[in-house]
Amino acid sequence: QVQLQESGPGLVKPSQTLSLTCTVSGGSIASNYYYWSWIRQPPGKGLEWIGYIAYTGSTHYSPSLKSRTSISRDTSKNQFTLQLSSVTPEDTAVYYCAAAKKPVLDPTEYPYWGQGTQVTVSS
């Protein structure tokens, strides 16, 4: 069974770059046809899919965040990383990493989730 764990700073200043890492166990991020996503939930709002990196290494991003988003991976550490640039307070949210065996964009279709990590954008 795939297990995921997010890590990264809980506080980021406006205009800086948010960087989070997801460590995966129970499966290789470079095999088994998995798609590895970042998803967030702002306070009082629903889940928002940010983007994924596929087992092949290809990436796909939400059009609304594409200009500020980069997802990369380190296969030697079995980790993938989110970078979101030029953050504002509107990027404050609980950030989750998640996995599925198909390239889904609907957060509710992801069967595997990390526990989530709170990121606050504030000066």
Side-chain angles (χ1 to χ4, degrees):
Q1 173 121 358
V2 171
Q3 295 182 317
L4 304 96
Q5 178 66 58
E6 306 89 350
S7 60
L11 181 63
V12 183
K13 295 185 185 302
S15 81
Q16 292 188 340
T17 295
L18 178 161
S19 184
L20 296 173
T21 296
C22 183
T23 301
V24 177
S25 59
S28 169
I29 64 170
S31 65
N32 294 331
Y33 307 102
Y34 277 103
Y35 294 79
W36 308 94
S37 274
W38 287 99
I39 295 165
R40 69 181 183 179
Q41 186 167 29
K45 298 185 179 180
L47 294 168
E48 178 183 23
W49 176 77
I50 299 170
Y52 67 63
I53 185 164
Y55 63 100
T56 59
S58 64
T59 54
H60 184 55
Y61 303 125
S62 168
S64 64
L65 295 169
K66 184 176 182 178
S67 64
R68 300 194 290 128
T69 304
S70 177
I71 298 175
S72 59
R73 67 180 185 175
D74 185 337
T75 55
S76 67
K77 296 181 179 179
N78 219 36
Q79 296 175 332
F80 63 104
T81 298
L82 168 70
Q83 290 193 308
L84 184 66
S85 64
S86 304
V87 297
T88 72
E90 285 67 42
D91 293 308
T92 294
V94 177
Y95 285 76
Y96 299 91
C97 55
K101 282 202 168 183
K102 53 183 178 178
V104 292
L105 309 187
D106 182 350
T108 65
E109 295 190 44
Y110 279 82
Y112 305 107
W113 291 76
Q115 65 183 23
T117 187
Q118 173 70 48
V119 178
T120 300
V121 180
S122 175
S123 56

